[in-house]
Amino acid sequence: MPTALITGITGQDGSYLAEFLLQQGYRVVGMVRRTSTVNFHRIAHIQDEVELVSGDMLDQISLVHILEEYRPDEIYNLAAQSFVQTSWSQPVFTGEVTALGVTRLLDAIRIVDPAIRFYQASSSEMFGKVREVPQRETTPFYPRSPYGVAKVYGHWITVNYRESYGMHCTSGILFNHESPRRGLEFVTRKITHHVAQIKLGMADELRLGNLDARRDWGFAGDYVRAMWLMLQQETPDDYVVATGETHSVAEFLDEAFGYVDLDWHDYVVQDPRYMRPAEVDLLVGDASKAGHALGWEPNVSFAELVHMMVDADLEMLRDGGTAL
Ligand code: NAP
Ligand code: F7E
């Protein structure tokens, strides 16, 4: 039974990847950081099937000890300070976790067992002010936030360990992917959660920033499959994972409010607090390399994704649940 270590297992992608790897017959070890309150809600349903170990991307010793103890065959590095807006108010922290954290983990692998296969969660935010449409593996990077800059570092240090030490290091350049488990601060989940609240009479407005930004939004469950496929290849490489479709925030609003027969113009208020110092205006990926090399393609359409998220938020609120 192969062993996989997931950093960031308590996050959106970590929870879907853990489910997927368990189904593939893996022993799944998840690294969690110490918090004063337990935040395992996304993995509560599989907590008995995974092994959780305490560690932190800021603490190299903890990473070395985890590798020595669990001897993973594959490592999926999903841990990050992943919220773009926060990266302006905490740029150094974002760099420590999202950029230097990658080096700490890569060097722990190099020291303990350089044969471990490594996946780095790179991001379409690296393309930022895009140099080419659609964006592909060869498109030059132009990050627009401290988060994007940190991810560029994480991407290149992954390439560098591959080239310097011959390690099996792969970088997945994933475009936005969402789900009912998406954090409430991200625009898609913020919208679907408010749609459900408004529909149920629990809220009467939704405050947002830039409605013109365009993103290539896919379903997280589809994207974790691509991560696994990448590590099954004999040769490590870099892959774009995307749907190839782009939609504005306003189009997301149309789809989400329209689904419950509401008009978003009656509820949405633009609030400068949610505008960013520098914006990424247009992202749309070309995943043809992942298509032919990995046999990967997305299964969930944009409309299906939005409806799935609205339905999940409606169900959760009707059941009297609190937002995950
Ligand atoms: P997420 O929900 O924000 O999850 C981030 C995870 O990282 C959480 O488990 C968090 O733990 C953990 N973490 C944060 N700081 C840590 C530290 N210092 N030490 C150990 N763990 C730490 O993010 P996601 O959406 O699942 O994304 C997964 C990865 O893919 C991230 O690296 C993200 O930047 C990248 N990515 C995401 C997307 C997307 O659209 N979702 C696209 C491209 C790339 P806590 O629960 O304790 O906070
Ligand atoms: O913003 C606009 C905002 O925060 C999307 C992360 O997973 O994907 C994510 O980063 C767009 C931006 O995601 C609000 O200005 C308008 O243009 O949902 P988001 P993101 O910044 O694209 C990438 C690929 C990652 O790697 C990241 O980790 O929506 N927007 N009004 C808003 N955004 C938010 N959050 N809140 C608003 O009120």
Side-chain angles (χ1 to χ4, degrees):
M1 183 192 274
T3 299
L5 171 70
I6 304 175
T7 72
I9 194 169
T10 54
Q12 171 188 258
D13 290 8
S15 67
Y16 282 105
L17 181 63
E19 280 173 6
F20 178 83
L21 293 176
L22 287 170
Q23 282 160 15
Q24 302 298 315
Y26 279 73
R27 172 192 186 211
V28 175
V29 180
M31 189 181 89
V32 293
R33 55 180 173 163
R34 196 267 161 184
T35 46
S36 63
T37 312
V38 173
N39 64 347
F40 297 169
H41 50 266
R42 292 191 181 98
I43 50 168
H45 59 297
I46 48 169
Q47 215 176 312
D48 295 340
E49 298 168 71
V50 298
E51 293 168 59
L52 299 180
V53 56
S54 178
D56 199 300
M57 297 306 287
L58 301 177
D59 187 318
Q60 174 116 35
I61 302 291
S62 69
L63 303 176
V64 171
H65 284 160
I66 289 169
L67 301 199
E68 282 174 339
E69 186 177 347
Y70 291 92
R71 293 280 165 180
D73 301 286
E74 298 172 7
I75 296 180
Y76 297 85
N77 182 35
L78 309 185
Q81 189 304 93
S82 77
F83 189 42
V84 172
Q85 185 100 42
T86 292
S87 77
W88 277 284
S89 54
Q90 300 181 29
V92 175
F93 174 73
T94 301
E96 283 287 352
V97 179
T98 306
L100 281 178
V102 187
T103 308
R104 292 190 189 96
L105 186 49
L106 283 167
D107 223 46
I109 295 171
R110 185 182 66 80
I111 291 164
V112 177
D113 179 3
I116 294 171
R117 294 187 175 195
F118 176 79
Y119 172 84
Q120 167 58 14
S122 287
S123 166
S124 53
E125 281 293 300
M126 302 190 303
F127 297 122
K129 191 171 176 181
V130 297
R131 309 281 89 188
E132 183 178 28
V133 180
Q135 297 84 51
R136 48 178 69 91
E137 291 79 6
T138 49
T139 303
F141 300 140
Y142 193 142
R144 292 275 279 171
S145 64
Y147 168 82
V149 173
K151 281 290 180 186
V152 171
Y153 175 92
H155 175 82
W156 282 117
I157 200 71
T158 300
V159 174
N160 183 258
Y161 270 59
R162 178 164 82 211
E163 295 177 354
S164 300
Y165 304 112
M167 286 163 50
H168 197 292
C169 301
T170 281
S171 171
I173 306 174
L174 271 51
F175 282 61
N176 298 53
H177 46 280
E178 320 293 315
S179 74
R181 298 183 201 165
R182 187 59 140 154
L184 282 165
E185 67 275 39
F186 298 93
V187 77
T188 55
R189 182 75 196 290
K190 184 173 173 181
I191 293 171
T192 62
H193 188 63
H194 276 80
V195 164
Q197 285 185 315
I198 291 167
K199 186 67 183 173
L200 299 177
M202 299 162 76
D204 54 13
E205 70 169 24
L206 165 56
R207 306 187 82 83
L208 292 174
N210 177 14
L211 308 185
D212 298 324
R214 302 185 73 85
R215 291 290 182 276
D216 180 329
W217 280 297
F219 172 52
D222 285 341
Y223 285 39
V224 299
R225 187 163 34 87
M227 298 175 187
W228 175 76
L229 284 167
M230 287 179 215
L231 289 204
Q232 308 320 303
Q233 306 308 304
E234 216 28 64
T235 312
D237 206 341
D238 307 321
Y239 300 90
V240 160
V241 177
T243 70
E245 254 184 56
T246 187
H247 296 274
S248 66
V249 173
E251 287 166 18
F252 195 103
L253 288 167
D254 279 334
E255 193 65 51
F257 278 81
Y259 182 53
V260 295
D261 300 319
L262 295 174
D263 182 345
W264 62 266
H265 298 91
D266 297 334
Y267 304 97
V268 170
V269 179
Q270 273 196 286
D271 187 331
R273 275 186 304 164
Y274 299 109
M275 303 295 280
R276 296 179 177 181
E279 181 60 284
V280 172
D281 296 318
L282 164 70
L283 290 176
V284 57
D286 172 359
S288 50
K289 179 176 171 183
H292 65 71
L294 308 176
W296 179 86
E297 59 178 36
N299 292 328
V300 176
S301 72
F302 174 70
E304 286 167 344
L305 172 66
V306 178
H307 301 173
M308 177 204 303
M309 292 176 69
V310 172
D311 281 337
D313 275 317
L314 279 169
E315 191 184 328
M316 186 195 60
L317 291 173
R318 282 192 182 116
D319 290 349
T322 44
L324 297 183

